[in-house]
Amino acid sequence: EAQVTQNPRYLITVTGKKLTVTCSQNMNHEYMSWYRQDPGLGLRQIYYSMNVEVTDKGDVPEGYKVSRKEKRNFPLILESPSPNQTSLYFCASSLRGSGVTYNEQFFGPGTRLTVL
Amino acid sequence: AQSVTQLGSHVSVSEGALVLLRCNYSSSVPPYLFWYVQYPNQGLQLLLKYTTGATLVKGINGFEAEFKKSETSFHLTKPSAHMSDAAEYFCAVRPTGNQFYFGTGTSLTVIP
């Protein structure tokens, strides 16, 4: 089944304790992205990756790191989490597309993170 | 900076009534436009998209949207609401470049 998986789905941690949220897709998509969803703010893009070893900042990259060593995986790293990073996080992927078409993003189920 | 505005964070309609969810964007060039739906405790699912060509786009579950360049709008409609349409709806744009921008979402309630 074509899908984007995220782990863990729920995480409660404390300020300053490094954590990684994994994201994996089995669709051979070039483009992968991380978003955070907050009430009243919608989804905001944190980082995205156009392909292996190619990453770029979205609108809210502060406090986050990413890496893209393999095409299928795109982990999100919080080196020193703070309470303002409490949020619902989504990973997404898509075929890169070109020309007149651009393929839609497929979203993972989300990771609910609470930082105390 | 790009922006996407969804008018009305909460919309209520009666079952069988017209659904209209509004989306306006700011972009100097026509972007790619998307509508996504999010059911409780789930990820986002694509409803429809506009890239180029016909400005009236049909999507899944009877939804459609019309791209109006002069109004910089991409409103989502459905002629007759069903109880199963109750969800959060997000408009998204991809201007030139590789970033996506989402609106703040509209929560749709369908009243029996």
Side-chain angles (χ1 to χ4, degrees):
Chain A
E1 178 189 355
Q3 60 183 346
V4 179
T5 57
Q6 296 179 226
N7 283 292
R9 294 288 313 278
Y10 302 90
L11 178 60
I12 300 174
T13 189
V14 295
T15 299
K17 185 176 182 182
K18 180 180 179 179
L19 66 91
T20 299
V21 183
T22 64
C23 173
S24 183
Q25 50 92 6
N26 61 2
M27 296 170 281
N28 202 34
H29 286 171
E30 292 90 357
Y31 186 97
M32 297 186 75
S33 182
W34 276 103
Y35 297 87
R36 60 178 289 174
Q37 182 180 13
D38 301 291
L41 297 177
L43 277 81
R44 293 178 292 168
Q45 197 167 29
I46 303 171
Y47 270 95
Y48 62 93
S49 170
M50 296 299 293
N51 215 324
V52 175
E53 301 292 2
V54 181
T55 63
D56 212 341
K57 296 177 181 179
D59 272 351
V60 289
E62 295 77 20
Y64 304 95
K65 285 176 56 178
V66 293
S67 68
R68 187 91 181 272
K69 293 183 169 53
E70 304 167 281
K71 196 172 186 179
R72 64 183 293 128
N73 296 324
F74 191 46
L76 179 69
I77 303 158
L78 284 71
E79 295 265 1
S80 183
S82 62
N84 65 12
Q85 293 178 297
T86 293
S87 187
L88 179 58
Y89 290 87
F90 287 102
C91 180
S93 73
S94 74
L95 285 171
R96 183 170 174 174
S98 62
V100 298
T101 63
Y102 198 97
N103 291 290
E104 70 272 17
Q105 295 183 86
F106 292 83
F107 282 80
T111 295
R112 188 167 292 282
L113 172 65
T114 301
V115 183
L116 302 175
Chain B
Q2 305 295 329
S3 70
V4 181
T5 301
Q6 291 185 239
L7 272 177
S9 57
H10 297 275
V11 170
S12 294
V13 300
S14 298
E15 190 174 16
L18 171 72
V19 175
L20 171 61
L21 305 182
R22 300 177 187 274
C23 174
N24 289 86
Y25 65 90
S26 67
S27 176
S28 57
V29 296
Y32 295 130
L33 297 156
F34 308 83
W35 274 100
Y36 285 87
V37 61
Q38 183 181 33
Y39 298 103
N41 300 314
Q42 294 186 28
L44 280 72
Q45 178 185 359
L46 182 74
L47 274 178
L48 48 81
K49 66 180 179 183
Y50 168 81
T51 53
T52 60
T55 57
L56 182 62
V57 181
K58 295 187 185 301
I60 62 171
N61 301 338
F63 283 94
E64 61 183 38
E66 186 172 10
F67 168 57
K68 292 188 177 180
K69 182 180 176 181
S70 61
E71 299 177 7
T72 60
S73 69
F74 191 57
H75 302 331
L76 182 71
T77 60
K78 182 174 180 177
S80 177
H82 192 272
M83 295 299 294
S84 61
D85 295 327
E88 186 96 19
Y89 291 81
F90 291 94
C91 180
V93 302
R94 190 196 73 116
T96 57
N98 301 309
Q99 278 190 255
F100 284 81
Y101 299 88
F102 283 76
T104 53
T106 298
S107 177
L108 176 66
T109 299
V110 182
I111 303 165

